[in-house]
Coordinates of all heavy atoms in Angstrom, one line a residue:
M1 N 194.9 69.3 130.0 CA 196.2 69.5 129.2 C 195.8 69.4 127.7 O 194.9 68.5 127.4 CB 197.2 68.5 129.6 CG 198.5 69.2 129.5 SD 200.0 68.2 129.8 CE 199.8 67.4 131.3
S2 N 196.4 70.2 126.9 CA 196.1 70.0 125.5 C 197.0 69.1 124.8 O 198.1 68.8 125.1 CB 196.2 71.5 124.8 OG 197.6 71.7 124.9
E3 N 196.3 68.4 123.8 CA 197.1 67.4 123.1 C 197.8 68.0 121.9 O 197.4 69.1 121.4 CB 196.1 66.3 122.5 CG 195.4 65.5 123.6 CD 194.4 64.6 122.9 OE1 194.6 64.2 121.7 OE2 193.5 64.1 123.6
P4 N 199.0 67.5 121.6 CA 199.7 68.1 120.4 C 198.9 68.0 119.1 O 198.2 66.9 119.0 CB 201.1 67.4 120.4 CG 200.9 66.2 121.3 CD 199.7 66.4 122.1
R5 N 199.0 69.0 118.3 CA 198.3 68.9 117.1 C 199.0 68.0 116.1 O 200.2 67.9 116.2 CB 198.2 70.4 116.4 CG 197.4 71.3 117.2 CD 197.2 72.6 116.5 NE 198.5 73.3 116.5 CZ 198.6 74.5 115.9 NH1 197.6 75.1 115.4 NH2 199.8 75.1 115.9
P6 N 198.2 67.4 115.2 CA 198.9 66.5 114.2 C 199.8 67.3 113.3 O 199.6 68.5 113.1 CB 197.7 65.9 113.4 CG 196.5 66.6 113.9 CD 196.8 67.4 115.1
A7 N 200.7 66.7 112.6 CA 201.7 67.4 111.8 C 201.0 68.2 110.7 O 201.5 69.2 110.3 CB 202.7 66.4 111.3
A8 N 199.9 67.7 110.2 CA 199.3 68.4 109.1 C 198.6 69.7 109.5 O 198.5 70.7 108.7 CB 198.2 67.5 108.4
A9 N 198.3 69.8 110.8 CA 197.6 71.0 111.3 C 198.6 72.1 111.8 O 198.2 73.2 112.0 CB 196.6 70.6 112.4
R10 N 199.9 71.8 112.0 CA 200.8 72.8 112.3 C 201.2 73.7 111.3 O 201.4 73.2 110.2 CB 202.1 72.0 112.9 CG 201.9 71.6 114.4 CD 203.2 71.0 114.9 NE 203.0 69.7 115.4 CZ 203.8 68.7 115.2 NH1 204.9 68.8 114.5 NH2 203.4 67.5 115.6
P11 N 201.5 74.9 111.6 CA 201.9 75.8 110.5 C 203.4 75.4 110.1 O 204.2 75.0 111.0 CB 201.9 77.2 111.2 CG 201.9 76.9 112.7 CD 201.3 75.7 112.9
R12 N 203.6 75.6 108.9 CA 205.0 75.2 108.3 C 206.0 76.2 108.7 O 207.2 75.8 108.8 CB 204.9 74.9 106.9 CG 204.2 73.7 106.5 CD 204.3 73.4 105.1 NE 203.2 74.2 104.4 CZ 202.9 74.2 103.1 NH1 203.7 73.4 102.3 NH2 202.0 74.8 102.6
H13 N 205.6 77.5 108.7 CA 206.6 78.5 108.9 C 206.2 79.4 110.1 O 204.9 79.6 110.3 CB 206.9 79.3 107.7 CG 207.2 78.6 106.5 ND1 208.6 78.0 106.4 CD2 206.7 78.1 105.4 CE1 208.6 77.4 105.3 NE2 207.5 77.4 104.7
R14 N 207.1 80.0 110.8 CA 206.7 81.0 111.8 C 206.3 82.3 111.2 O 206.9 82.7 110.1 CB 207.9 81.3 112.7 CG 208.2 80.2 113.7 CD 209.4 80.7 114.5 NE 209.3 80.0 115.8 CZ 210.2 80.2 116.7 NH1 211.3 80.9 116.5 NH2 210.1 79.6 117.9
F15 N 205.4 83.0 111.8 CA 205.0 84.3 111.3 C 206.2 85.2 111.6 O 206.7 85.3 112.7 CB 203.8 84.8 112.1 CG 203.5 86.2 111.8 CD1 203.0 86.6 110.5 CD2 203.5 87.2 112.7 CE1 202.6 87.9 110.3 CE2 203.2 88.5 112.5 CZ 202.8 88.8 111.3
D16 N 206.6 86.1 110.6 CA 207.7 87.0 110.8 C 207.2 88.4 110.5 O 206.9 88.8 109.4 CB 208.8 86.7 109.7 CG 210.1 87.4 110.1 OD1 210.2 88.1 111.0 OD2 211.0 87.2 109.2
P17 N 207.0 89.1 111.6 CA 206.4 90.5 111.5 C 207.3 91.4 110.7 O 206.9 92.3 110.0 CB 206.3 91.0 112.9 CG 206.5 89.8 113.8 CD 207.1 88.8 113.0
A18 N 208.7 91.2 110.8 CA 209.6 92.1 110.1 C 209.4 92.0 108.6 O 209.4 93.0 107.8 CB 211.0 91.7 110.4
R19 N 209.2 90.7 108.1 CA 209.0 90.5 106.6 C 207.7 91.1 106.2 O 207.6 91.8 105.1 CB 209.0 89.1 106.2 CG 210.3 88.5 106.3 CD 210.3 87.1 105.8 NE 211.6 86.4 106.0 CZ 211.9 85.2 105.5 NH1 210.9 84.5 105.0 NH2 213.1 84.8 105.6
L20 N 206.6 91.0 107.0 CA 205.4 91.7 106.6 C 205.5 93.2 106.6 O 205.1 93.8 105.6 CB 204.3 91.4 107.7 CG 203.0 92.0 107.5 CD1 202.3 91.5 106.3 CD2 202.1 91.7 108.8
L21 N 206.2 93.8 107.6 CA 206.4 95.2 107.6 C 207.2 95.7 106.4 O 206.9 96.7 105.7 CB 207.1 95.7 108.9 CG 207.4 97.1 109.0 CD1 206.1 97.9 109.2 CD2 208.3 97.3 110.2
L22 N 208.3 95.0 106.1 CA 209.1 95.4 105.0 C 208.3 95.3 103.6 O 208.4 96.2 102.8 CB 210.3 94.5 104.9 CG 211.3 94.7 103.8 CD1 212.0 96.1 103.9 CD2 212.4 93.6 103.7
G23 N 207.6 94.2 103.5 CA 206.8 94.1 102.3 C 205.8 95.2 102.2 O 205.6 95.8 101.0
L24 N 205.1 95.5 103.2 CA 204.0 96.6 103.1 C 204.7 98.0 102.9 O 204.2 98.8 102.1 CB 203.3 96.6 104.4 CG 202.3 95.5 104.6 CD1 201.6 95.5 106.0 CD2 201.3 95.3 103.5
C25 N 205.7 98.2 103.5 CA 206.5 99.5 103.4 C 207.1 99.7 102.0 O 207.0 100.8 101.4 CB 207.5 99.7 104.4 SG 206.9 100.0 106.1
L26 N 207.6 98.6 101.4 CA 208.2 98.7 100.1 C 207.1 98.9 99.0 O 207.3 99.6 98.0 CB 209.0 97.4 99.8 CG 210.4 97.4 100.5 CD1 211.2 96.2 100.2 CD2 211.2 98.6 100.3
L27 N 205.9 98.2 99.2 CA 204.9 98.4 98.4 C 204.3 99.9 98.4 O 204.0 100.5 97.4 CB 203.7 97.5 98.7 CG 203.8 96.1 98.2 CD1 202.6 95.2 98.8 CD2 203.8 96.0 96.7
L28 N 204.3 100.4 99.6 CA 203.9 101.8 99.8 C 204.9 102.8 99.1 O 204.5 103.7 98.5 CB 203.8 102.2 101.3 CG 203.3 103.6 101.6 CD1 201.8 103.6 101.2 CD2 203.3 103.7 103.1
L29 N 206.2 102.5 99.3 CA 207.2 103.3 98.5 C 207.0 103.2 97.1 O 207.2 104.2 96.3 CB 208.6 102.9 99.0 CG 209.1 103.5 100.4 CD1 210.5 102.9 100.7 CD2 209.2 104.9 100.2
A30 N 206.9 101.9 96.6 CA 206.7 101.8 95.2 C 205.5 102.5 94.6 O 205.5 103.2 93.5 CB 206.5 100.4 94.8
A31 N 204.3 102.5 95.4 CA 203.2 103.3 95.0 C 203.4 104.8 95.0 O 202.9 105.5 94.2 CB 202.0 103.0 95.9
G32 N 204.3 105.2 95.9 CA 204.6 106.6 96.0 C 205.4 107.1 94.8 O 205.2 108.1 94.2
Y33 N 206.4 106.2 94.4 CA 207.2 106.5 93.2 C 206.3 106.5 91.9 O 206.4 107.3 91.1 CB 208.3 105.4 92.9 CG 209.6 105.8 93.8 CD1 209.9 105.1 94.9 CD2 210.3 106.9 93.5 CE1 211.0 105.4 95.6 CE2 211.5 107.3 94.2 CZ 211.9 106.5 95.3 OH 212.9 106.8 96.0
A34 N 205.4 105.6 91.8 CA 204.5 105.5 90.7 C 203.5 106.6 90.7 O 203.3 107.2 89.6 CB 203.7 104.1 90.7
A35 N 203.0 107.0 91.8 CA 202.0 108.2 91.9 C 202.8 109.5 91.5 O 202.3 110.4 90.8 CB 201.5 108.3 93.2
R36 N 204.1 109.6 91.9 CA 204.9 110.7 91.6 C 205.1 110.8 90.1 O 205.1 111.9 89.5 CB 206.2 110.7 92.4 CG 207.0 112.0 92.2 CD 208.3 112.0 93.0 NE 209.0 113.2 92.8 CZ 209.7 113.6 91.7 NH1 209.7 112.7 90.7 NH2 210.3 114.8 91.7
S37 N 205.5 109.7 89.5 CA 205.8 109.7 88.1 C 204.5 110.0 87.2 O 204.7 110.5 86.2 CB 206.6 108.5 87.6 OG 206.3 107.4 88.3
A38 N 203.4 109.6 87.7 CA 202.1 109.8 87.0 C 201.6 111.2 87.2 O 200.6 111.6 86.5 CB 201.1 108.8 87.5
G39 N 202.2 111.9 88.2 CA 201.8 113.3 88.4 C 200.7 113.4 89.5 O 200.1 114.5 89.7
A40 N 200.3 112.3 90.0 CA 199.1 112.3 91.0 C 199.7 112.7 92.4 O 198.8 113.1 93.3 CB 198.5 111.0 91.1
L41 N 201.0 112.7 92.7 CA 201.5 113.0 94.0 C 202.6 114.0 93.8 O 203.5 113.9 93.0 CB 202.0 111.7 94.7 CG 202.4 111.8 96.1 CD1 201.3 112.1 97.0 CD2 203.0 110.5 96.5
D42 N 202.5 115.0 94.6 CA 203.6 116.1 94.5 C 204.4 116.0 95.7 O 204.4 116.8 96.7 CB 202.9 117.5 94.4 CG 203.8 118.6 94.2 OD1 204.9 118.3 93.5 OD2 203.6 119.7 94.6
V43 N 205.4 115.1 95.7 CA 206.4 114.9 96.7 C 207.7 114.8 96.1 O 207.9 114.2 95.0 CB 206.1 113.5 97.5 CG1 207.1 113.1 98.5 CG2 204.7 113.5 98.1
S44 N 208.7 115.5 96.8 CA 210.0 115.5 96.2 C 210.6 114.0 96.2 O 210.3 113.2 97.2 CB 210.9 116.3 97.1 OG 212.2 116.2 96.7
W45 N 211.4 113.7 95.3 CA 211.9 112.4 95.2 C 213.0 112.1 96.4 O 213.3 111.1 96.7 CB 212.6 112.0 93.9 CG 213.8 112.9 93.5 CD1 213.8 114.1 92.9 CD2 215.1 112.6 93.7 NE1 215.1 114.5 92.8 CE2 215.9 113.6 93.3 CE3 215.8 111.4 94.3 CZ2 217.3 113.5 93.3 CZ3 217.2 111.4 94.4 CH2 217.9 112.5 93.9
Y46 N 213.5 113.3 96.9 CA 214.4 113.2 98.1 C 213.6 112.5 99.3 O 214.2 111.8 100.0 CB 214.8 114.6 98.5 CG 215.8 115.2 97.5 CD1 215.4 116.4 96.9 CD2 217.1 114.7 97.3 CE1 216.3 116.9 96.0 CE2 218.0 115.3 96.4 CZ 217.6 116.4 95.7 OH 218.5 116.9 94.8
V47 N 212.4 112.9 99.4 CA 211.6 112.3 100.6 C 211.4 110.8 100.4 O 211.6 110.0 101.3 CB 210.3 113.0 100.6 CG1 209.4 112.4 101.7 CG2 210.4 114.5 101.0
L48 N 211.1 110.5 99.1 CA 210.8 109.1 98.9 C 212.1 108.2 99.0 O 212.2 107.1 99.5 CB 210.2 108.8 97.5 CG 208.7 109.3 97.4 CD1 208.3 109.3 96.0 CD2 207.8 108.5 98.3
T49 N 213.3 108.8 98.5 CA 214.6 108.1 98.6 C 215.0 108.1 100.1 O 215.6 107.0 100.5 CB 215.6 108.8 97.8 OG1 215.0 109.0 96.5 CG2 216.9 108.2 97.7
A50 N 214.8 109.1 100.9 CA 215.2 109.0 102.3 C 214.3 108.1 103.1 O 214.8 107.6 104.1 CB 215.1 110.5 102.8
A51 N 213.1 107.8 102.6 CA 212.3 106.9 103.3 C 212.8 105.5 103.3 O 212.4 104.7 104.2 CB 210.8 107.0 102.8
L52 N 213.6 105.1 102.2 CA 214.0 103.6 102.2 C 214.9 103.3 103.3 O 214.7 102.3 103.9 CB 214.7 103.5 100.8 CG 215.2 102.0 100.5 CD1 214.0 101.0 100.6 CD2 215.9 101.9 99.3
P53 N 215.9 104.1 103.7 CA 216.8 103.7 104.9 C 215.9 103.7 106.1 O 216.1 102.8 107.0 CB 217.9 104.7 104.9 CG 217.9 105.4 103.6 CD 216.5 105.2 103.0
V54 N 215.0 104.5 106.3 CA 214.1 104.6 107.5 C 213.3 103.3 107.5 O 213.2 102.6 108.6 CB 213.2 105.8 107.5 CG1 212.2 105.7 108.6 CG2 214.0 107.1 107.5
V55 N 212.8 102.8 106.4 CA 212.0 101.6 106.3 C 212.9 100.4 106.8 O 212.5 99.5 107.5 CB 211.4 101.3 105.0 CG1 210.9 99.9 104.8 CG2 210.3 102.4 104.8
L56 N 214.1 100.4 106.3 CA 215.1 99.3 106.5 C 215.5 99.2 108.0 O 215.6 98.2 108.6 CB 216.3 99.4 105.7 CG 216.1 99.2 104.2 CD1 217.3 99.4 103.4 CD2 215.6 97.7 103.9
L57 N 215.7 100.4 108.6 CA 216.0 100.5 110.0 C 214.9 100.1 110.9 O 215.0 99.3 111.9 CB 216.5 101.9 110.4 CG 217.9 102.3 109.9 CD1 218.1 103.7 110.1 CD2 219.0 101.4 110.5
L58 N 213.6 100.5 110.5 CA 212.5 100.1 111.3 C 212.2 98.5 111.2 O 211.9 97.9 112.2 CB 211.2 100.8 110.7 CG 209.9 100.6 111.4 CD1 210.0 101.1 112.9 CD2 208.8 101.3 110.7
T59 N 212.5 98.0 110.0 CA 212.3 96.5 109.8 C 213.4 95.8 110.7 O 213.1 94.8 111.3 CB 212.5 96.2 108.4 OG1 211.5 96.9 107.6 CG2 212.3 94.7 108.1
A60 N 214.6 96.4 110.7 CA 215.7 95.7 111.5 C 215.3 95.7 113.0 O 215.5 94.8 113.7 CB 217.0 96.4 111.3
L61 N 214.7 96.9 113.5 CA 214.3 97.0 114.9 C 213.2 95.9 115.2 O 213.3 95.4 116.2 CB 213.8 98.4 115.1 CG 213.3 98.7 116.5 CD1 214.5 98.6 117.5 CD2 212.6 100.0 116.5
V62 N 212.2 95.9 114.3 CA 211.2 94.8 114.5 C 211.7 93.4 114.5 O 211.3 92.6 115.4 CB 210.1 95.0 113.4 CG1 209.1 93.9 113.5 CG2 209.3 96.3 113.7
A63 N 212.7 93.2 113.7 CA 213.3 91.8 113.6 C 214.0 91.5 114.9 O 214.0 90.4 115.5 CB 214.3 91.6 112.5
V64 N 214.8 92.5 115.5 CA 215.5 92.3 116.7 C 214.6 92.0 117.9 O 214.8 91.2 118.7 CB 216.5 93.6 116.9 CG1 217.0 93.5 118.4 CG2 217.6 93.6 116.0
V65 N 213.5 92.9 118.0 CA 212.5 92.7 119.0 C 211.9 91.3 118.9 O 211.7 90.6 119.9 CB 211.5 93.8 119.0 CG1 210.4 93.6 119.9 CG2 212.2 95.2 119.4
T66 N 211.5 90.9 117.7 CA 210.9 89.6 117.5 C 211.8 88.5 117.9 O 211.4 87.5 118.6 CB 210.5 89.4 116.0 OG1 209.6 90.5 115.6 CG2 209.8 88.0 115.8
H67 N 213.1 88.6 117.6 CA 214.1 87.6 117.9 C 214.2 87.6 119.5 O 214.2 86.5 120.0 CB 215.4 87.9 117.3 CG 216.5 86.9 117.7 ND1 216.5 85.7 117.3 CD2 217.5 87.2 118.6 CE1 217.6 85.1 117.8 NE2 218.2 85.9 118.6
A68 N 214.2 88.7 120.1 CA 214.4 88.8 121.6 C 213.2 88.1 122.3 O 213.3 87.4 123.3 CB 214.6 90.2 122.1
V69 N 212.1 88.4 121.8 CA 210.8 87.9 122.4 C 210.7 86.4 122.2 O 210.5 85.6 123.1 CB 209.5 88.5 121.8 CG1 208.2 87.8 122.2 CG2 209.4 89.9 122.2
R70 N 211.1 85.9 121.0 CA 211.1 84.5 120.8 C 212.1 83.7 121.6 O 211.9 82.6 122.2 CB 211.2 84.1 119.3 CG 210.0 84.5 118.6 CD 210.1 84.0 117.1 NE 208.8 84.3 116.5 CZ 208.6 84.4 115.1 NH1 209.7 84.2 114.4 NH2 207.5 84.7 114.7
R71 N 213.3 84.3 121.7 CA 214.3 83.7 122.5 C 213.9 83.7 124.0 O 214.2 82.7 124.7 CB 215.6 84.5 122.3 CG 216.8 83.8 123.0 CD 218.0 84.5 122.7 NE 219.1 83.9 123.5 CZ 220.4 84.0 123.1 NH1 220.7 84.6 122.1 NH2 221.3 83.3 123.7
G72 N 213.3 84.7 124.5 CA 212.8 84.7 125.9 C 211.7 83.6 126.1 O 211.8 83.1 127.2
R73 N 210.9 83.4 125.2 CA 209.9 82.4 125.3 C 210.5 81.0 125.3 O 210.0 80.1 126.0 CB 208.9 82.5 124.2 CG 208.0 83.6 124.4 CD 206.9 83.6 123.3 NE 205.9 84.6 123.5 CZ 204.9 84.9 122.8 NH1 204.7 84.2 121.7 NH2 204.1 86.0 123.0
E74 N 211.6 80.8 124.5 CA 212.1 79.4 124.4 C 213.0 79.1 125.7 O 213.2 78.0 126.0 CB 213.0 79.4 123.1 CG 212.3 79.3 121.9 CD 213.1 79.5 120.7 OE1 214.3 79.6 120.8 OE2 212.6 79.5 119.6
D75 N 213.5 80.1 126.3 CA 214.3 79.9 127.5 C 213.6 79.6 128.7 O 214.0 78.9 129.6 CB 215.2 81.2 127.8 CG 216.3 81.4 126.8 OD1 216.6 80.5 126.1 OD2 216.8 82.4 126.8
R76 N 212.3 79.9 128.7 CA 211.4 79.6 129.9 C 211.0 78.1 129.9 O 210.8 77.6 128.9 CB 210.1 80.4 129.8 CG 210.2 81.8 130.4 CD 208.9 82.5 130.5 NE 208.8 83.3 129.3 CZ 207.6 83.5 128.8 NH1 206.5 83.2 129.4 NH2 207.4 84.2 127.7
P77 N 210.9 77.6 131.1 CA 210.4 76.2 131.2 C 208.9 76.1 130.8 O 208.1 77.0 131.0 CB 210.6 75.9 132.6 CG 210.7 77.1 133.4 CD 211.2 78.2 132.4
R78 N 208.5 75.0 130.2 CA 207.2 74.9 129.8 C 206.1 74.6 130.8 O 205.0 74.9 130.7 CB 207.1 73.7 128.7 CG 208.0 74.0 127.5 CD 207.2 73.7 126.3 NE 208.0 74.0 125.2 CZ 207.6 74.7 124.2 NH1 206.5 75.2 124.2 NH2 208.4 74.8 123.1
G79 N 206.6 74.0 131.9 CA 205.6 73.7 133.0 C 205.1 74.8 133.9 O 204.3 74.6 134.8
G80 N 205.7 76.0 133.6 CA 205.2 77.1 134.4 C 206.3 77.4 135.5 O 207.4 76.7 135.5
P81 N 206.1 78.3 136.4 CA 207.1 78.6 137.4 C 207.2 77.5 138.4 O 206.3 77.0 138.9 CB 206.6 79.9 138.0 CG 205.1 79.9 137.7 CD 204.9 79.1 136.5
S82 N 208.5 77.2 138.8 CA 208.7 76.2 139.7 C 208.9 76.9 141.1 O 209.5 77.9 141.2 CB 209.9 75.4 139.3 OG 211.1 76.1 139.3
R83 N 208.4 76.2 142.0 CA 208.6 76.7 143.5 C 209.6 75.8 144.2 O 209.3 74.8 144.5 CB 207.3 76.6 144.1 CG 206.3 77.6 143.5 CD 205.0 77.5 144.3 NE 203.9 78.3 143.6 CZ 202.9 78.7 144.1 NH1 202.6 78.4 145.4 NH2 202.0 79.4 143.5
T84 N 210.8 76.4 144.3 CA 211.8 75.6 145.0 C 211.9 76.4 146.4 O 212.0 77.5 146.6 CB 213.1 75.7 144.3 OG1 213.5 77.1 144.1 CG2 213.1 75.0 143.0
P85 N 211.9 75.5 147.4 CA 212.1 76.1 148.8 C 213.4 76.6 149.1 O 214.4 76.4 148.6 CB 211.7 74.9 149.7 CG 211.7 73.8 148.9 CD 211.7 74.1 147.5

C-alpha cells in the first residue's frame, strides 16, 4: 500500500485541460491576427473571428468532460470493487 505524500510534495492545484486548451487556442488566434496584419498570412478576418466561438465551445466541451470524469472518480469507493453476496 502506498503512503500518503507529505503536504509539500502534493500539487497545489488540479490540472485543468480546458484552461490549457483555451490558452493555446487564444494564443494561436492572436498569432493569426498578428500575422494577418503584418501581411504574412492571407486569411479573411471572418475566418479568424468565427474561430473564436468555436474555440470557446470546444473549451466548454472539454471542461464538461473533465468535470464528468472527475466526478465519476470521486463517486467510486477507494478500496476497489466490493463483492457482496
